[in-house]
Structures are given as structure tokens and as C-alpha cells.
Amino acid sequence: MSSGSKADRKAALDVASWFFNVVTSVGIIMVNKALMATHGFSFATTLTGLHFATTTLLTVFLRWLGYIQGSYIPLPELLKFVLFANFSIVGMNVSLMWNSVGFYQIAKLSMIPVSCFLEVVFDKVRYSRDTKLSIVVVLLGVAVCTVTDVSVNFKGFLAAVIAVWSTALQQYYVHFLQRKHSLGSFDLLGHTAPVQAASLLLVGPFVDYWLTEKKVYAYDYTVISVFFIILSCTIAVGTNLSQFICIGRFTAVSFQVLGHMKTILVLILGFIFFGKEGLNLHVILGMVIAVAGMIWYGNASSKPGGKERRIYPVPSNKSQKQDELSDSTETDEKV
């Protein structure tokens, strides 16, 4: 196969992976919002446990088909990942429940500078002036949206902060574990999904009762609400899988940078289905500023010197010298 054909095939797979993630991510946000806001199913943690229980069934099926091979992750690293991931997912669900769709999605934009901070601290990544300025523009857009979104409250803001930091750590760790242990997306999901499902289903009802003062088993289940729960679980399988695929193919920062596409879709759909969410001129202006910063960041960080990594942990001693030499001289291709 020629280099041109390989490049075209990679580009096609990148586009397909990202499209898969956009569709499932936007879909689950809208379904969960309808389930929580319209049908009163406010048990976000338990719902997340059901998501990963469904995902675990998929990994068992994939292992039976041979798509998931035998691999190993040290228990401390697995538990650390599960801790980040559980705080991330529970935080995001609670943020979605306590905030408007608009503020929920805009808050997620702040994960880009947080992810950049993690790369600077742990991977010794250096950013150019244009890259830094683009992040400032993103923060400006987020600030405009935050100030004008009347649905923001202290409880929801705190949930969003916890969700942002835990999500950034979880996404960084996805790429770290895949690189360190040479794991594919399916392999990593096969390790993490069962542990997350068990832990979330165990503590979920108690956490939900603490948050809502309602008991999940006392909820008035109807045919429609059960349908939305099943639909949410089904879409969540695709969301979990596509996230691992995209972060594996790109990086955590790129995964967030490309997220501005989802921001636009969620804000528009939130206005269409939940008109009370308040898509006013100020929110639109803030979103435009933030998205412009996203695009600028993508362009700036992809240029030579825009984002350089001098040190990065390597998966094995065998390739250590070669990887350290290449990482010390070349600009990071994954922007």
C-alpha cells in the first residue's frame, strides 16, 4: 500500500471516529436531559452505572469475538483511572442535572486549558505565544457565556469544576495507559468498564439519594421512562467506545479542541428541545468567541513550534532510546 493510500485511509478513519463520537455524545446529552428534566429520573450516578454495565456486556461480546486480547494493567493504575473516570462521569451527569444544557457544554470548553496544564506539568510540553493567546480567547468566550447564563448556580458551578478536572485527568490517563501498556481502545475498555460498572452500581443509589433525597427504587417507572433509560444505555456504549478510540488516535487536548463542533450542536438542539435554556445574544456571542479560540488553537498548535514535547514516558525499554531521541527534536504531530 502506497504512502498516499495509507494517509487517505488514516484520514478516513479519523473522520469516521470523530463523527461517531459527535453523534453519540450529542445524542446522549439530549436523551439524558429529556430523561432527567422531562421524566424526572434524577438518578445520574445509578444511570451511569447502568451505562457501564451495558458497556461491559459489549466488551464480553467483543472478547468472545476475539477483538479484545489478553492484556494486563497493574491494579493501582486501574483503580486510579476508575477513580478519575467515576468522578468525571458522575460530575458531568450532576452538572447536566443542576445546570442548563448551554452552561453544561460551555463549561466543558474549559477542559482544554486544563488538559494543556496537565501536559505542561506531566509531559513538559511547550506552547507557542499564539497557542497561549488562543486559549485566552477560549476563556474569554467561556466567561461571557457563564456571566450571561442565568441558569448557573453555586451548586451547579461546583459540580462543573469537579467534572472538568476529573475529566481532564481521566482523558489524559486514557492516552497514558494506552501508550504505556500498548493497549488498544477495546482492550482498555475491557479492563475499565466492569470495575466502573460495579463501583457505580454499588454506590450510585446512595449518592443519588444524597443529591436528590429520592430513592431510585421508589421512582415511578413508566414505559416511556424505561424506553429513555434503555436508549441512554445503548447510546452510552457508543459514547464510551468512541471516546477511547478518539483519544487513542489523537490526544486528550485534540479531543477537547474538536469538541467545539459538539458545543454548537448541543446549544442549538438545547434551544430547540428546551427553549427555556435561554440561547440569547450574549450566549451566542460568547460561544462564537470560544469557538473562534478553538479554531485558532487548532491552527496555532499544529504549526512548527506551536506545541512541542521534549520528554514523554515510553512503553518499553526496547524503544526508549529511539522514542526519546525523536520526541526531543520533533514537534508533536498530535495536536
Side-chain angles (χ1 to χ4, degrees):
M1 184 181 293
S2 64
S3 59
S5 299
K6 290 182 180 179
D8 292 342
R9 184 174 182 274
K10 181 183 182 302
L13 289 175
D14 288 345
V15 171
S17 300
W18 182 243
F19 181 76
F20 182 32
N21 180 258
V22 169
V23 171
T24 55
S25 297
V26 173
I28 198 170
I29 289 172
M30 304 314 298
V31 169
N32 285 355
K33 189 65 177 180
L35 180 61
M36 295 177 184
T38 305
H39 299 284
F41 190 86
S42 55
F43 311 102
T45 311
T46 303
L47 180 63
T48 304
L50 293 174
H51 288 171
F52 276 95
T54 309
T55 304
T56 299
L57 294 178
L58 172 68
T59 61
V60 171
F61 180 66
L62 291 175
R63 191 181 300 277
W64 179 69
L65 292 178
Y67 286 102
I68 297 179
Q69 306 299 326
S71 56
Y72 172 74
I73 297 180
L75 183 60
E77 293 188 353
L78 178 60
L79 294 179
K80 187 187 298 184
F81 174 86
V82 170
L83 180 66
F84 293 150
N86 284 356
F87 269 103
S88 166
I89 298 168
V90 172
M92 282 298 174
N93 282 333
V94 172
S95 177
L96 178 61
M97 182 174 62
W98 285 348
N99 295 310
S100 65
V101 165
F103 178 72
Y104 164 82
Q105 193 65 25
I106 290 299
K108 291 177 66 176
L109 288 175
S110 63
M111 281 188 280
I112 297 172
V114 172
S115 296
C116 293
F117 173 79
L118 293 177
E119 286 194 347
V120 169
V121 172
F122 295 114
D123 294 342
K124 303 298 184 290
V125 171
R126 296 184 300 179
Y127 295 94
S128 68
R129 185 185 64 176
D130 283 353
T131 304
K132 294 175 183 177
L133 287 175
S134 67
I135 295 175
V136 173
V137 172
V138 173
L139 293 176
L140 176 62
V142 172
V144 171
C145 291
T146 302
V147 171
T148 57
D149 192 336
V150 295
S151 298
V152 178
N153 56 78
F154 176 76
K155 204 165 55 168
F157 178 79
L158 182 61
V161 170
I162 295 174
V164 165
W165 276 93
S166 56
T167 300
L169 285 166
Q170 180 256 350
Q171 291 179 356
Y172 173 85
Y173 220 54
V174 166
H175 193 70
F176 172 79
L177 288 177
Q178 287 188 358
R179 180 182 176 93
K180 181 179 180 180
H181 299 288
S182 301
L183 297 173
S185 303
F186 294 119
D187 300 323
L188 184 57
L189 195 60
H191 284 287
T192 60
V195 182
Q196 286 185 260
S199 58
L200 290 173
L201 288 177
L202 179 64
V203 303
F206 299 100
V207 174
D208 288 333
Y209 180 74
W210 172 69
L211 291 172
T212 66
E213 296 184 351
K214 298 178 182 178
K215 299 177 180 178
V216 64
Y217 58 81
Y219 174 75
D220 184 19
Y221 292 92
T222 64
V223 174
I224 296 178
S225 63
V226 171
F227 168 77
F228 272 101
I229 292 173
I230 295 175
L231 181 61
S232 178
C233 291
T234 303
I235 299 175
V237 173
T239 304
N240 294 331
L241 181 58
S242 66
Q243 182 193 57
F244 279 32
I245 292 175
C246 285
I247 296 177
R249 296 187 69 85
F250 312 115
T251 64
V253 173
S254 295
F255 184 71
Q256 292 301 326
V257 169
L258 294 174
H260 64 77
M261 295 167 52
K262 293 183 284 188
T263 302
I264 296 174
L265 289 174
V266 168
L267 286 171
I268 293 175
L269 291 175
F271 176 72
I272 293 175
F273 293 105
F274 311 101
K276 61 182 181 181
E277 297 295 334
L279 189 65
N280 54 44
L281 181 60
H282 288 87
V283 173
I284 294 175
L285 176 62
M287 187 187 73
V288 169
I289 295 174
V291 170
M294 298 296 102
I295 297 174
W296 186 12
Y297 171 86
N299 291 331
S301 60
S302 63
K303 294 178 180 178
K307 177 182 175 183
E308 293 182 336
R309 175 176 296 150
R310 293 185 297 173
I311 301 175
Y312 200 105
V314 293
S316 64
N317 293 331
K318 188 182 224 177
S319 59
Q320 183 171 358
K321 293 184 179 180
Q322 180 179 356
D323 285 350
E324 285 182 348
L325 179 61
S326 61
D327 286 339
S328 65
T329 57
E330 69 180 23
T331 301
D332 188 1
E333 294 180 356
K334 291 185 175 182
V335 295

